[in-house]
Amino acid sequence: MHSLTKTFLYCLLIPSVALAMNVTSGRASEDSGNIVFNQMLKCLKLPADAPSGYNFMVVAVIKDGSADFLSINFRTPPSEWEKTAAPLIADAITQCEPYSSTSGRMEFAVTRELVEAGSKN
């Protein structure tokens, strides 16, 4: 993939590809993903009437404290609500910069359970 600045992509993931990526992601990447996820929650405003379950896989490349590349991936064809929510997730990640304590490529999930648990903290 070419180096893209402030690029946001939608992708449909084949579950086996998603599993392979999860297996290869290291502990440091997971910790950095948690930092970005928790900071993103501060700016995240999802549409009303969220479905009972949703699952976005976010791939973010953080460089010099900001999101240099973002990809929001769906494991299944997205619903209308998910199509509306995905750019809001991307916006929240870029609005909650800078990410001064982390850099590099990270992956994390955005699910209803994680958003609800994180917003209570």
Side-chain angles (χ1 to χ4, degrees), residues 71-92:
S71 174
I72 309 290
N73 304 300
F74 303 99
R75 295 179 191 271
T76 59
S79 67
E80 287 305 311
W81 185 90
E82 289 170 314
K83 289 177 188 176
T84 303
L88 298 175
I89 292 169
D91 288 347

Side-chain angles (χ1 to χ4, degrees), residues 37 40-41 44 46 51-58 75 81 89 108-118:
F37 176 81
M40 171 206 69
L41 280 179
L44 185 61
L46 289 174
S52 59
Y54 54 85
N55 187 346
F56 299 96
M57 191 67 189
V58 177
R75 295 179 191 271
W81 185 90
I89 292 169
F108 56 92
V110 176
T111 65
R112 184 178 186 130
E113 295 78 16
L114 290 172
V115 168
E116 287 176 355

Side-chain angles (χ1 to χ4, degrees), residues 25-48:
S25 65
R27 182 86 196 137
S29 174
E30 188 174 310
D31 291 342
S32 295
N34 288 338
I35 291 167
V36 174
F37 176 81
N38 289 330
Q39 195 160 331
M40 171 206 69
L41 280 179
K42 297 173 190 174
C43 299
L44 185 61
K45 304 276 187 280
L46 289 174

